[in-house]
Amino acid sequence: MEGGEGALALQTGAEMLDYLVRRRAQMDQHELEWSVVAARFAQTDEYDELGFNSPIACLKAMCHMRGGAAADRVCVGEELERLDTSAEALAAGEIGFPHLALIARTAVACGEKFDEARLLRHARKESLVKFEHTCTHAKHAADPDGVVDEEKQGVEARSLTFSTADDGSVLVKGILDKVGAGALRTALEPLAKRDGKDDRRDYPRRLGDALVELSMNGLDRPNLQVTTSLETLLGLAGAPAAEMEFSLPISSKAVERLACDCSVTRILLGSDSTVIDVGRSKRTVSGPARRALNARDGHCRWPGCDRPANWSAAHHVVHWIHGGSTNLDNLILLCHRHHWMVHEGGWQIVRSDNGRMLTIPPVTEFQRLARGPD
Ligand SMILES: [Zn+2]
Ligand SMILES: [Zn+2]
């Protein structure tokens, strides 16, 4: 076997790099073979005999790997039949195994609309992070609802815990969905900038300081940087996802919500990729219009919710993108959670004849959101 003695004999940086690149390509090839067997193994019931819940759980435990890594490999093995060209690119060292895993995941998400040649062109020249964005765009174009479902799962998985140590310091541990995390980073980054060249705080320290500062001072809504096409904002079939600073690309549903109360710097790209609209526009509900709305509604209008006005968004009952006006009769205050439920969550909120607000739950899967307002 190559390596061992041979590897120790390498002297120059160039020799080492040559070795590393070659060995990595061999390891990727081994990953591919491993994936084929993993997919076949997943078809057997050996995992069940051993008392595991799933083949992935079994591989995770027996092969000492993360569940996601095991699942990626089973997916590659299962999809390999229609990934001929990508497998060749892997063998030629043009892409790495993580690229191939992303391609396989995208193939599953896109179904019949999967375009291997197009993705592979990107994979050959893009870093993994960039390529992950490309794959999200492809998934969104093929199946926008699937991307919304992923985002819903991300929101469901949000959690934050505080545990206090003996000395009183607190360990903060949390998981955020991509939009939530993007919003948090947008709020923190400006506060985490170096304070002159004598500022020797490292980046994690500055982020920590920024979080505290934000909590002390601020309910000023961050101005999120979102780049979207008109097609995406309109939710048209085949539209790519939208780009959000500090986040993976986000669904048109999420953009629709963010644009609804204009906590977004809209950058709409025309068909020739020119910027046609930057910054807050007349659709922003601010100044006197916002004060009138705050005075009329007082708090979130979701039945039973009393989140105050400055924690709420100005929801357009008919979205401005569909011609809705920014007049008071087309606006209601909704807190963040209820605004989310109306856009991504599929709920409807309507005004009854006697002026009361009524909510209608979505008919489909997310019935467990149907518990009452917080
Ligand atoms: Zn809205
Ligand atoms: Zn509310």
Side-chain angles (χ1 to χ4, degrees), residues 300-302 305-307 312 333-339 373-374:
C300 172
R301 290 298 309 278
W302 196 271
C305 183
D306 58 2
R307 282 273 206 226
S312 299
L333 286 183
L334 287 177
C335 71
H336 180 77
R337 174 172 161 74
H338 292 130
H339 199 207
D374 293 341

Side-chain angles (χ1 to χ4, degrees), residues 138-174:
K139 283 190 240 173
H140 192 272
D143 178 20
D145 292 344
V147 176
V148 175
D149 281 344
E150 275 179 18
E151 289 176 355
K152 281 180 182 166
Q153 287 165 22
V155 170
E156 293 281 312
R158 275 184 197 161
S159 87
L160 191 65
T161 56
F162 298 95
S163 28
T164 311
D166 288 342
D167 68 354
S169 61
V170 176
L171 176 70
V172 183
K173 222 163 88 181

Side-chain angles (χ1 to χ4, degrees), residues 75 82 101-111 114 119 131 134-136 138-139 142:
C75 178
R82 56 171 172 159
L102 279 172
I103 293 173
R105 293 281 194 185
T106 310
V108 173
C110 293
F114 175 61
L119 268 193
F131 187 54
T134 301
C135 289
T136 304
K139 283 190 240 173

Side-chain angles (χ1 to χ4, degrees), residues 256-257 260-261 314-316 319 334 339 342-343:
E256 179 195 281
R257 170 171 55 83
C260 185
D261 83 332
H315 171 64
H316 290 68
H319 202 290
L334 287 177
H339 199 207
V342 168
H343 285 276

